[in-house]
């Protein structure tokens, strides 16, 4: 017989719809939930609803924010002339953590993928076109992934932006920091060699 | 600067306290939550609170249930004379899925672990002692894990129950179903050989 009470089954189904949570993990999480402190569960539920209700995409750059526009777009210390184009809001977080970029962002909301029916009109490309002249942008950094779709999106954007006269750059490709040659695949090694730099 | 709005940080912290959810997964889940359908988020929050409020451990066997006692303990078709002792409520689910057991359960709530300070008084062993005569149990199946602590718990319970005259059995150990010899470790092979059976 089905040994799971109905509320647990409902919870397993809801958890299983989250990305990266398989049926086994959902089951394990649900069983943890029903046996844990009720206050902690209530806190998690409130955090879920609170985050969803209070956070939205920034109307300018597309990053996640409570205020409109976001703190980065309105920060006086950020250089408005450099725009870093990323695929997802998560990427803004990664780059901010590295603390090496002081311009502004533009979140595309995905990458071009003809096979999945994602064309330029499905991404935040029109607003990128508008921002470049409106904010007197001098450089657009294409900080996209080095997978096939990321490369294709970068090529598309570079071509599209070439008419505006703005400088378009891309992230360097090469060995990851702290990694040995033996872990690098052929293509990474090829890119690292192509992009080699003089020792100062 | 910190690119995550405060409600997202709160959500990441709450998700990160769940078992098996590391900081990276918590971040990815939180960013999914704030960008997904608000109705689905509300549904998940309700499922969390609902499961925690409506589900508790069965007062008799310790399995998870909405009603007291649980559906297995009260089912007239289940054989009360066979008691299957498991470590966690999750194990009841696994055995019920196999659909090969028709007795009742007793959830210990853990296994003996002197190193972690878990002694017999921390597990549901006193209530097991009480159930064996009260429910006229003829056989106790120790369905515990084959790790060191599971083995130690099984030995302890077998010795403790030996004075009652009840038949005490253990799960067979051997090759997992559908697995080749090349994937079995030495100990599993040794157990499989020791437990060999005549071909009918």
């Amino acid at each position: 017989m089905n040994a799971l009470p109905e509320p647990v089954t409902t919870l397993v189904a809801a958890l299983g719809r989250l990305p990266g949570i398989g049926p086994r993990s959902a089951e394990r999480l649900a069983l943890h939930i029903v046996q844990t402190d009720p206050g902690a569960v209530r806190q998690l539920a409130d955090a879920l609803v609170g985050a969803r209700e209070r956070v939205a995409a920034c109307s300018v750059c597309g990053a996640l924010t409570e205020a409109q526009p976001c703190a980065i777009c309105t920060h006086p210390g950020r250089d408005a002339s450099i725009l870093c184009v990323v695929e997802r809001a998560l990427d803004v977080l990664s780059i901010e953590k590295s603390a090496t970029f002081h311009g502004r962002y533009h979140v595309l909301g995905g990458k071009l993928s003809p096979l999945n029916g994602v064309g330029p009109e499905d991404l935040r490309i029109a607003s990128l076109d508008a921002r470049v002249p409106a904010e007197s942008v001098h450089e657009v950094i294409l900080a996209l992934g080095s997978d096939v779709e990321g490369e294709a999106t970068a090529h598309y954007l570079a071509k599209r932006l070439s008419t505006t006269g703005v400088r378009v750059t891309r992230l360097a490709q090469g060995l990851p920091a702290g990694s040995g040659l033996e872990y690098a695949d052929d293509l990474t090694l090829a890119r690292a060699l192509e992009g080699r730099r003089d020792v100062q």
Side-chain angles (χ1 to χ4, degrees), chain A:
Chain A
M1 52 197 296
N2 183 6
L4 273 189
E6 182 273 319
V8 181
T9 315
T10 306
L11 179 55
V12 170
L15 289 169
R17 281 190 286 269
L18 295 174
I21 307 275
R24 287 264 164 177
S25 310
E27 220 167 77
R28 206 170 310 120
L29 284 173
L31 287 163
H32 166 82
I33 291 291
V34 297
Q35 293 175 93
T36 197
D37 167 41
V41 177
R42 165 68 63 185
Q43 208 174 33
L44 173 59
D46 289 347
L48 283 164
V49 174
R52 185 61 192 86
E53 283 177 353
R54 288 162 57 194
V55 175
C58 170
S59 54
V60 178
C61 72
L64 296 173
T65 179
E66 276 193 90
Q68 290 292 353
C70 76
I72 296 177
C73 283
T74 54
H75 196 288
R78 307 285 303 213
D79 184 352
S81 71
I82 309 183
L83 207 53
C84 180
V85 175
V86 295
E87 192 189 313
R88 301 159 306 159
L90 187 58
D91 301 330
V92 173
L93 184 64
S94 306
I95 296 178
E96 284 299 295
K97 273 185 184 159
S98 78
T100 47
F101 177 69
H102 303 98
R104 293 185 185 166
Y105 292 94
H106 190 84
V107 179
L108 289 179
K111 49 195 170 185
L112 294 178
S113 175
L115 286 177
N116 297 311
V118 181
E121 66 287 349
D122 300 309
L123 303 178
R124 298 178 71 254
I125 290 179
S127 57
L128 175 63
D129 287 341
R131 285 184 76 184
V132 170
E135 300 179 19
S136 310
V137 174
H138 290 137
E139 178 178 355
V140 171
I141 304 174
L142 300 174
L144 303 171
S146 52
D147 56 328
V148 176
E149 294 177 340
E151 299 265 342
T153 309
H155 277 289
Y156 174 86
L157 290 176
K159 199 173 172 194
R160 184 163 174 142
L161 291 167
S162 65
T163 57
T164 64
V166 71
R167 181 182 172 204
V168 179
T169 57
R170 296 193 48 188
L171 294 186
Q173 291 187 22
L175 290 187
S179 176
L181 284 184
E182 66 269 38
Y183 303 116
D185 60 288
D186 298 350
L187 192 57
T188 299
L189 272 180
R191 295 276 159 77
L193 275 168
E194 282 164 24
R196 66 191 181 276
R197 297 170 60 170
D198 291 313
V199 180
Q200 306 293 332

